[in-house]
Amino acid sequence: MTDHADLEADLLDRVRAAAEPAALEAVRLEALGKSGAISALLKSLGSMSPDERRVQGPAINGLRDRVAAAIAARKAALDAAELDATLAAGRLDLSLPAPPRRRGCVHPTMQVMEEMIAIFAELGFSVAEGPDIEDDFHNFTALNFPPRHPARELHDTFFLSPDANGERKVLRTHTSPVQVRTMRRTNAPAPAPWIAAGQAPPIRIISPGRTYRMDSDATHTPMFHQIEGLVIDRAIHMGHLKWTLDRFIARFFELDGIVTRFRPHHFPFTEPSAEMDVQCDTSGGEVKIGQGHEWSEIVGCGMVHPNVLTNCGIDPDAWQGFAFGFGVDRLGRLKYGMPDLRDMFASDTRWLAHYGFSPFATPNPASGLS
Ligand code: DAH
Protein backbone atom coordinates (compact mmCIF):
# COMPACT_ATOMS: atom_id res chain seq x y z
CA MET A 1 0.00 0.00 0.00
CA THR A 2 2.71 2.40 0.93
CA ASP A 3 4.32 1.75 -2.44
CA HIS A 4 1.10 2.77 -4.13
CA ALA A 5 0.79 5.87 -1.98
CA ASP A 6 4.36 6.89 -2.78
CA LEU A 7 3.82 6.26 -6.46
CA GLU A 8 0.62 8.31 -6.43
CA ALA A 9 2.21 11.20 -4.54
CA ASP A 10 5.16 11.19 -6.90
CA LEU A 11 3.00 11.12 -10.04
CA LEU A 12 0.67 13.85 -8.78
CA ASP A 13 3.67 16.04 -7.95
CA ARG A 14 5.02 15.62 -11.46
CA VAL A 15 1.61 16.30 -13.01
CA ARG A 16 1.43 19.56 -11.07
CA ALA A 17 4.97 20.43 -12.05
CA ALA A 18 4.43 19.82 -15.82
CA ALA A 19 4.70 23.32 -17.28
CA GLU A 20 3.65 22.53 -20.84
CA PRO A 21 1.60 19.94 -22.74
CA ALA A 22 4.65 17.95 -23.90
CA ALA A 23 5.96 17.50 -20.32
CA LEU A 24 2.50 16.44 -19.17
CA GLU A 25 2.28 13.92 -22.00
CA ALA A 26 5.61 12.43 -20.85
CA VAL A 27 4.22 11.95 -17.32
CA ARG A 28 1.06 10.39 -18.74
CA LEU A 29 3.09 7.85 -20.72
CA GLU A 30 5.21 6.95 -17.70
CA ALA A 31 2.08 6.33 -15.61
CA LEU A 32 -0.59 5.09 -18.00
CA GLY A 33 1.28 4.30 -21.24
CA LYS A 34 1.74 0.72 -22.40
CA SER A 35 4.75 0.17 -20.16
CA GLY A 36 3.82 2.77 -17.57
CA ALA A 37 3.98 2.17 -13.81
CA ILE A 38 0.22 2.03 -13.27
CA SER A 39 -0.28 -0.13 -16.37
CA ALA A 40 2.25 -2.60 -14.87
CA LEU A 41 0.30 -2.68 -11.60
CA LEU A 42 -2.93 -3.35 -13.51
CA LYS A 43 -1.25 -6.19 -15.38
CA SER A 44 -0.02 -7.72 -12.09
CA LEU A 45 -3.67 -8.23 -11.03
CA GLY A 46 -3.81 -11.18 -13.46
CA SER A 47 -1.29 -13.24 -11.48
CA MET A 48 -2.81 -12.60 -8.04
CA SER A 49 -4.98 -14.96 -6.06
CA PRO A 50 -8.68 -14.05 -5.99
CA ASP A 51 -8.46 -12.84 -2.40
CA GLU A 52 -5.48 -10.66 -3.10
CA ARG A 53 -7.17 -9.31 -6.25
CA ARG A 54 -10.29 -8.37 -4.28
CA VAL A 55 -8.16 -6.04 -2.19
CA GLN A 56 -5.65 -4.85 -4.78
CA GLY A 57 -8.13 -4.43 -7.65
CA PRO A 58 -10.08 -1.48 -6.26
CA ALA A 59 -6.91 0.09 -4.86
CA ILE A 60 -5.05 0.00 -8.18
CA ASN A 61 -8.10 1.08 -10.21
CA GLY A 62 -8.65 3.96 -7.77
CA LEU A 63 -5.02 4.99 -8.16
CA ARG A 64 -5.37 4.90 -11.95
CA ASP A 65 -8.57 6.99 -11.88
CA ARG A 66 -7.13 9.66 -9.59
CA VAL A 67 -3.95 10.01 -11.62
CA ALA A 68 -5.92 10.08 -14.93
CA ALA A 69 -8.26 12.75 -13.53
CA ALA A 70 -5.30 14.85 -12.34
CA ILE A 71 -3.70 14.61 -15.81
CA ALA A 72 -6.99 15.63 -17.53
CA ALA A 73 -7.44 18.61 -15.19
CA ARG A 74 -3.85 19.74 -15.71
CA LYS A 75 -4.25 19.37 -19.48
CA ALA A 76 -7.37 21.55 -19.48
CA ALA A 77 -5.51 24.19 -17.42
CA LEU A 78 -2.49 24.14 -19.76
CA ASP A 79 -4.72 24.36 -22.87
CA ALA A 80 -6.62 27.31 -21.43
CA ALA A 81 -3.37 29.07 -20.56
CA GLU A 82 -2.09 28.46 -24.10
CA LEU A 83 -5.28 29.93 -25.62
CA ASP A 84 -5.05 32.97 -23.34
CA ALA A 85 -1.45 33.49 -24.42
CA THR A 86 -2.39 33.24 -28.13
CA LEU A 87 -5.26 35.69 -27.70
CA ALA A 88 -3.09 38.11 -25.78
CA ALA A 89 -0.31 37.98 -28.37
CA GLY A 90 -2.60 38.27 -31.42
CA ARG A 91 -4.89 41.02 -30.12
CA LEU A 92 -7.04 42.74 -32.79
CA ASP A 93 -6.82 46.49 -32.96
CA LEU A 94 -10.42 47.42 -33.60
CA SER A 95 -9.57 51.10 -33.95
CA LEU A 96 -7.75 50.49 -37.25
CA PRO A 97 -9.78 51.65 -40.27
CA ALA A 98 -11.19 48.69 -42.26
CA PRO A 99 -9.81 48.21 -45.77
CA PRO A 100 -12.14 49.88 -48.30
CA ARG A 101 -14.76 47.57 -49.81
CA ARG A 102 -15.88 48.00 -53.39
CA ARG A 103 -19.64 47.77 -53.68
CA GLY A 104 -21.44 47.52 -56.97
CA CYS A 105 -24.53 49.54 -57.75
CA VAL A 106 -27.67 49.16 -59.81
CA HIS A 107 -27.59 50.70 -63.30
CA PRO A 108 -30.12 53.53 -63.62
CA THR A 109 -31.88 51.74 -66.48
CA MET A 110 -32.45 48.69 -64.31
CA GLN A 111 -33.57 50.89 -61.45
CA VAL A 112 -36.06 52.68 -63.71
CA MET A 113 -37.34 49.33 -65.03
CA GLU A 114 -37.93 48.19 -61.46
CA GLU A 115 -39.73 51.43 -60.66
CA MET A 116 -41.93 51.08 -63.76
CA ILE A 117 -42.71 47.44 -63.04
CA ALA A 118 -43.65 48.33 -59.44
CA ILE A 119 -46.06 51.03 -60.64
CA PHE A 120 -47.67 48.87 -63.31
CA ALA A 121 -47.92 45.97 -60.85
CA GLU A 122 -49.93 48.30 -58.65
CA LEU A 123 -52.23 48.89 -61.63
CA GLY A 124 -52.73 45.14 -62.08
CA PHE A 125 -50.28 44.41 -64.92
CA SER A 126 -48.11 41.29 -64.97
CA VAL A 127 -44.78 40.90 -66.73
CA ALA A 128 -44.40 39.03 -70.05
CA GLU A 129 -41.11 38.37 -71.84
CA GLY A 130 -39.89 37.47 -75.30
CA PRO A 131 -36.57 36.82 -77.07
CA ASP A 132 -34.14 39.54 -78.19
CA ILE A 133 -33.62 37.68 -81.49
CA GLU A 134 -36.97 37.74 -83.24
CA ASP A 135 -38.34 36.50 -86.50
CA ASP A 136 -39.88 38.65 -89.17
CA PHE A 137 -43.39 37.46 -88.34
CA HIS A 138 -43.39 38.58 -84.70
CA ASN A 139 -41.36 41.76 -85.18
CA PHE A 140 -43.11 43.03 -88.33
CA THR A 141 -45.72 40.98 -90.17
CA ALA A 142 -48.09 40.16 -87.30
CA LEU A 143 -47.82 43.79 -86.21
CA ASN A 144 -49.24 44.91 -89.55
CA PHE A 145 -46.03 46.36 -91.01
CA PRO A 146 -46.51 46.60 -94.80
CA PRO A 147 -43.90 44.73 -96.91
CA ARG A 148 -41.83 47.79 -97.88
CA HIS A 149 -41.91 49.60 -94.54
CA PRO A 150 -38.58 51.43 -93.85
CA ALA A 151 -38.05 49.55 -90.56
CA ARG A 152 -37.61 46.41 -92.63
CA GLU A 153 -34.56 47.93 -94.33
CA LEU A 154 -30.92 47.22 -93.48
CA HIS A 155 -30.11 50.84 -92.67
CA ASP A 156 -32.62 50.90 -89.79
CA THR A 157 -32.47 47.41 -88.37
CA PHE A 158 -29.89 44.78 -87.39
CA PHE A 159 -30.49 41.55 -89.30
CA LEU A 160 -28.67 38.26 -88.68
CA SER A 161 -27.25 36.28 -91.61
CA PRO A 162 -29.92 34.16 -93.30
CA ASP A 163 -30.31 30.64 -91.85
CA ALA A 164 -30.50 27.37 -93.88
CA ASN A 165 -34.08 28.20 -94.92
CA GLY A 166 -33.05 31.68 -96.07
CA GLU A 167 -34.86 33.26 -93.13
CA ARG A 168 -33.24 36.40 -91.73
CA LYS A 169 -33.73 36.76 -87.98
CA VAL A 170 -33.72 40.28 -86.56
CA LEU A 171 -32.58 41.90 -83.30
CA ARG A 172 -36.02 43.04 -82.21
CA THR A 173 -36.56 46.71 -83.00
CA HIS A 174 -39.18 47.11 -80.27
CA THR A 175 -40.87 45.12 -77.50
CA SER A 176 -44.14 44.98 -79.46
CA PRO A 177 -43.47 41.37 -80.65
CA VAL A 178 -44.17 40.31 -77.05
CA GLN A 179 -47.79 41.47 -77.57
CA VAL A 180 -48.00 39.03 -80.44
CA ARG A 181 -46.36 36.22 -78.49
CA THR A 182 -48.66 36.79 -75.52
CA MET A 183 -51.84 36.84 -77.60
CA ARG A 184 -50.86 33.83 -79.72
CA ARG A 185 -49.51 31.72 -76.88
CA THR A 186 -53.04 31.42 -75.61
CA ASN A 187 -52.70 28.26 -73.56
CA ALA A 188 -48.95 27.99 -73.08
CA PRO A 189 -47.76 27.59 -69.50
CA ALA A 190 -45.84 30.45 -67.90
CA PRO A 191 -42.05 30.07 -68.35
CA ALA A 192 -41.52 31.13 -64.71
CA PRO A 193 -43.87 31.80 -61.79
CA TRP A 194 -43.43 35.58 -61.98
CA ILE A 195 -43.96 35.77 -65.73
CA ALA A 196 -47.42 35.93 -67.23
CA ALA A 197 -48.43 32.93 -69.30
CA GLY A 198 -49.75 33.45 -72.78
CA GLN A 199 -53.42 34.05 -72.29
CA ALA A 200 -56.76 34.47 -73.88
CA PRO A 201 -58.31 37.89 -73.27
CA PRO A 202 -58.76 39.67 -70.96
CA ILE A 203 -55.05 40.53 -71.06
CA ARG A 204 -53.13 43.08 -69.02
CA ILE A 205 -49.36 42.77 -69.44
CA ILE A 206 -46.23 44.83 -69.62
CA SER A 207 -43.08 43.64 -71.30
CA PRO A 208 -39.73 45.13 -70.31
CA GLY A 209 -36.65 44.36 -72.38
CA ARG A 210 -33.76 45.28 -74.64
CA THR A 211 -34.35 46.55 -78.17
CA TYR A 212 -32.00 47.38 -81.06
CA ARG A 213 -31.87 49.94 -83.86
CA MET A 214 -29.22 51.40 -86.11
CA ASP A 215 -29.06 54.75 -84.32
CA SER A 216 -26.45 56.64 -82.33
CA ASP A 217 -26.51 60.22 -81.07
CA ALA A 218 -27.02 62.03 -77.76
CA THR A 219 -30.60 60.76 -77.48
CA HIS A 220 -30.28 57.39 -79.27
CA THR A 221 -28.14 54.30 -78.69
CA PRO A 222 -28.07 51.16 -80.89
CA MET A 223 -29.21 49.10 -77.90
CA PHE A 224 -31.85 50.55 -75.64
CA HIS A 225 -34.73 49.43 -73.43
CA GLN A 226 -38.48 49.58 -73.78
CA ILE A 227 -41.49 48.65 -71.73
CA GLU A 228 -44.46 47.59 -73.77
CA GLY A 229 -47.99 47.58 -72.40
CA LEU A 230 -51.03 45.70 -73.67
CA VAL A 231 -54.60 45.66 -72.37
CA ILE A 232 -57.30 43.67 -74.19
CA ASP A 233 -60.87 43.35 -72.95
CA ARG A 234 -64.43 43.75 -74.23
CA ALA A 235 -64.83 47.50 -73.90
CA ILE A 236 -61.40 49.08 -73.38
CA HIS A 237 -61.16 52.51 -75.00
CA MET A 238 -58.80 55.50 -75.35
CA GLY A 239 -60.09 56.92 -72.05
CA HIS A 240 -58.63 53.92 -70.21
CA LEU A 241 -55.35 54.40 -72.06
CA LYS A 242 -55.15 58.06 -71.14
CA TRP A 243 -55.98 57.43 -67.48
CA THR A 244 -53.43 54.63 -67.24
CA LEU A 245 -50.61 56.72 -68.74
CA ASP A 246 -51.48 59.84 -66.72
CA ARG A 247 -51.59 57.77 -63.54
CA PHE A 248 -48.25 56.20 -64.41
CA ILE A 249 -46.62 59.59 -65.09
CA ALA A 250 -47.80 61.02 -61.77
CA ARG A 251 -46.44 58.01 -59.87
CA PHE A 252 -43.19 57.83 -61.80
CA PHE A 253 -42.25 61.50 -61.47
CA GLU A 254 -43.82 61.61 -57.98
CA LEU A 255 -45.71 64.78 -58.92
CA ASP A 256 -49.44 65.38 -59.21
CA GLY A 257 -50.90 67.62 -61.88
CA ILE A 258 -48.28 67.10 -64.63
CA VAL A 259 -49.94 68.22 -67.85
CA THR A 260 -49.78 65.70 -70.68
CA ARG A 261 -50.96 65.91 -74.27
CA PHE A 262 -51.79 63.30 -76.86
CA ARG A 263 -50.61 64.05 -80.40
CA PRO A 264 -51.97 62.04 -83.34
CA HIS A 265 -49.28 59.79 -84.78
CA HIS A 266 -48.89 56.72 -86.93
CA PHE A 267 -47.91 53.19 -85.94
CA PRO A 268 -48.79 50.24 -88.17
CA PHE A 269 -50.03 48.23 -85.17
CA THR A 270 -52.43 50.77 -83.64
CA GLU A 271 -55.40 52.72 -84.97
CA PRO A 272 -55.84 55.44 -83.90
CA SER A 273 -52.25 56.05 -82.77
CA ALA A 274 -50.81 58.79 -80.61
CA GLU A 275 -47.69 59.97 -78.89
CA MET A 276 -47.99 61.33 -75.41
CA ASP A 277 -45.87 64.33 -74.36
CA VAL A 278 -45.30 65.68 -70.85
CA GLN A 279 -45.02 69.31 -69.94
CA CYS A 280 -41.44 70.35 -69.19
CA ASP A 281 -39.04 73.25 -68.91
CA THR A 282 -35.52 73.04 -70.33
CA SER A 283 -34.63 76.74 -70.03
CA GLY A 284 -32.22 76.34 -67.08
CA GLY A 285 -30.09 73.76 -68.93
CA GLU A 286 -31.71 70.85 -67.14
CA VAL A 287 -35.08 69.27 -67.82
CA LYS A 288 -37.79 70.01 -65.26
CA ILE A 289 -40.91 67.89 -65.66
CA GLY A 290 -44.30 69.29 -64.74
CA GLN A 291 -43.52 72.98 -65.32
CA GLY A 292 -42.82 75.35 -68.21
CA HIS A 293 -44.20 75.52 -71.73
CA GLU A 294 -42.23 72.86 -73.60
CA TRP A 295 -43.13 69.23 -74.31
CA SER A 296 -41.10 66.07 -74.09
CA GLU A 297 -42.29 63.02 -76.02
CA ILE A 298 -42.52 60.12 -73.66
CA VAL A 299 -44.53 57.20 -75.03
CA GLY A 300 -46.08 55.86 -78.24
CA CYS A 301 -49.54 54.37 -77.91
CA GLY A 302 -52.89 53.67 -79.49
CA MET A 303 -55.78 51.24 -79.87
CA VAL A 304 -54.59 47.83 -81.06
CA HIS A 305 -55.20 47.54 -84.81
CA PRO A 306 -57.90 44.99 -85.71
CA ASN A 307 -55.44 43.35 -88.14
CA VAL A 308 -53.06 42.66 -85.23
CA LEU A 309 -55.84 41.03 -83.21
CA THR A 310 -56.80 38.92 -86.23
CA ASN A 311 -53.15 37.94 -86.84
CA CYS A 312 -53.04 36.74 -83.23
CA GLY A 313 -56.24 34.71 -83.44
CA ILE A 314 -58.40 37.14 -81.46
CA ASP A 315 -61.77 38.23 -82.83
CA PRO A 316 -61.64 42.03 -83.30
CA ASP A 317 -65.45 42.24 -83.19
CA ALA A 318 -65.49 40.76 -79.69
CA TRP A 319 -62.32 42.24 -78.17
CA GLN A 320 -60.43 45.51 -78.29
CA GLY A 321 -57.76 47.26 -76.30
CA PHE A 322 -54.82 49.59 -76.12
CA ALA A 323 -51.05 49.29 -76.27
CA PHE A 324 -48.14 51.55 -75.48
CA GLY A 325 -44.35 51.49 -75.70
CA PHE A 326 -42.08 53.49 -73.39
CA GLY A 327 -38.38 54.16 -73.90
CA VAL A 328 -36.98 53.22 -70.48
CA ASP A 329 -33.57 54.90 -70.85
CA ARG A 330 -35.17 58.09 -72.07
CA LEU A 331 -37.53 58.15 -69.08
CA GLY A 332 -34.60 57.54 -66.72
CA ARG A 333 -32.72 60.38 -68.36
CA LEU A 334 -35.67 62.74 -67.82
CA LYS A 335 -36.10 61.70 -64.19
CA TYR A 336 -32.46 61.52 -63.14
CA GLY A 337 -30.93 64.07 -65.53
CA MET A 338 -28.18 62.27 -67.49
CA PRO A 339 -27.05 64.56 -70.30
CA ASP A 340 -26.05 61.99 -72.93
CA LEU A 341 -27.79 58.66 -73.44
CA ARG A 342 -24.65 57.06 -74.90
CA ASP A 343 -22.84 57.36 -71.53
CA MET A 344 -25.40 54.96 -70.09
CA PHE A 345 -23.85 52.02 -71.90
CA ALA A 346 -20.18 53.07 -71.98
CA SER A 347 -19.42 50.89 -68.91
CA ASP A 348 -17.56 53.73 -67.22
CA THR A 349 -17.54 52.81 -63.54
CA ARG A 350 -17.17 56.47 -62.49
CA TRP A 351 -20.41 57.24 -64.32
CA LEU A 352 -22.07 54.24 -62.69
CA ALA A 353 -20.85 55.21 -59.23
CA HIS A 354 -22.34 58.67 -59.77
CA TYR A 355 -25.70 57.72 -61.30
CA GLY A 356 -26.12 54.18 -59.91
CA PHE A 357 -28.48 53.10 -57.14
CA SER A 358 -27.99 51.10 -53.98
CA PRO A 359 -28.67 47.41 -54.55
CA PHE A 360 -30.43 47.34 -51.19
CA ALA A 361 -33.06 49.93 -52.13
CA THR A 362 -35.37 47.93 -54.40
CA PRO A 363 -38.20 50.19 -55.54
CA ASN A 364 -41.62 49.27 -54.26
CA PRO A 365 -44.78 51.24 -53.60
CA ALA A 366 -44.51 50.85 -49.83
CA SER A 367 -40.96 52.08 -49.22
CA GLY A 368 -40.81 54.53 -52.12
CA LEU A 369 -39.98 54.30 -55.77
CA SER A 370 -36.76 56.26 -56.09
N1 DAH B 1 -43.17 49.96 -80.90
C1 DAH B 1 -43.14 51.41 -80.86
C2 DAH B 1 -41.72 51.90 -81.07
O1 DAH B 1 -40.81 51.16 -80.86
C3 DAH B 1 -43.63 51.92 -79.56
C4 DAH B 1 -45.06 51.67 -79.45
C5 DAH B 1 -45.96 52.58 -79.95
C6 DAH B 1 -45.54 50.51 -78.90
C7 DAH B 1 -47.31 52.35 -79.85
C8 DAH B 1 -46.89 50.27 -78.82
C9 DAH B 1 -47.77 51.22 -79.31
O2 DAH B 1 -47.42 49.18 -78.30
O3 DAH B 1 -49.08 50.98 -79.21
O4 DAH B 1 -41.53 53.00 -81.44
Side-chain angles (χ1 to χ4, degrees), residues 5 48 137 167 215 239 251 287:
M48 290 180 190
F137 175 79
E167 192 197 347
D215 244 348
R251 286 293 271 137
V287 190

Side-chain angles (χ1 to χ4, degrees), residues 1-7 55-56 59:
M1 280 313 284
T2 343
D3 284 354
H4 292 177
D6 287 349
L7 176 63
V55 180
Q56 291 295 334

Side-chain angles (χ1 to χ4, degrees), residues 174 176 179 213 226 228 267 269-270 300-302 323-325:
H174 49 182
S176 305
Q179 292 185 19
R213 277 183 216 172
Q226 288 191 336
E228 185 81 8
F267 297 106
F269 33 88
T270 42
C301 57
F324 55 83

Side-chain angles (χ1 to χ4, degrees), residues 72-85:
R74 182 72 186 142
K75 174 141 179 39
L78 288 178
D79 285 350
E82 197 179 24
L83 180 63
D84 283 347

Side-chain angles (χ1 to χ4, degrees), residues 35 52 82 124 246 328 341 356-357:
S35 43
E52 227 178 338
E82 197 179 24
D246 277 346
V328 178
L341 213 54
F357 289 81

Side-chain angles (χ1 to χ4, degrees), residues 21 51 65 68 86 97 114 116 167 175 210 230 266 308 326 355:
D51 281 349
D65 292 348
T86 312
E114 292 295 333
M116 296 177 76
E167 192 197 347
T175 42
R210 271 184 292 271
L230 175 71
H266 170 77
V308 175
F326 278 102
Y355 286 109

